[in-house]
Amino acid sequence: MADWKERLGVVYSTNPNFEYDNGEQEQVATLPKDRQNLRVWRDTHGRAGKVATVVKGFVGSDDDLTELGKTLKRKIGVGGSVKDGEIIIQGENRDRVLQILLDEGYSKSKKV
């Protein structure tokens, strides 16, 4: 394994239990669809006044989140992105996104 290039600048440790942290985070196991607590809302903040629909609260791997984002974009027929644990769908599609999530098996959030 040639990870020595990533460790340049690391000081040698005499601690026998030392483990190098390369900054990678462990992937969280994806919760089942009916246990996800997704929130869907309309947002214009930081988008030059343009409307976007944001889905937040997904618990799981980045690959599964990206796949859900692709599914939503494809079924609605608009663009968007997946960044920082959020799915951003272009336009005001809150009701359509919510209906697609319910059809996919995600449950409505329960008010506490």
Side-chain angles (χ1 to χ4, degrees):
M1 198 151 106
D3 65 341
W4 63 270
K5 290 181 181 179
E6 296 174 7
R7 295 193 216 188
L8 292 177
V10 174
V11 178
Y12 178 75
S13 174
T14 57
N15 182 353
N17 297 325
F18 177 79
E19 291 186 24
Y20 181 74
D21 179 19
N22 60 4
E24 293 179 8
Q25 296 178 354
E26 291 183 24
Q27 291 288 327
V28 178
T30 303
L31 289 177
K33 292 179 180 181
D34 60 346
R35 296 199 43 219
Q36 293 281 354
N37 186 19
L38 300 178
R39 297 179 307 267
V40 180
W41 73 90
R42 174 186 180 270
D43 192 22
T44 58
H45 181 71
R47 304 181 205 302
K50 295 184 181 184
V51 177
T53 303
V54 179
V55 180
K56 191 171 185 178
F58 186 84
V59 177
S61 70
D62 292 340
D63 293 338
D64 291 338
L65 179 64
T66 303
E67 188 60 37
L68 178 60
K70 285 181 184 178
T71 301
L72 291 173
K73 291 187 296 183
R74 185 180 66 248
K75 288 189 175 188
I76 295 173
V78 297
S81 64
V82 177
K83 294 181 185 174
D84 302 325
E86 294 180 340
I87 300 172
I88 302 166
I89 304 293
Q90 294 175 349
E92 187 165 346
N93 294 299
R94 182 178 46 203
D95 295 334
R96 292 173 71 188
V97 167
L98 183 59
Q99 188 58 50
I100 291 169
L101 290 172
L102 292 173
D103 292 345
E104 289 283 322
Y106 292 91
S107 63
K108 272 193 171 181
S109 64
K110 295 152 185 89
K111 301 223 176 190
V112 179

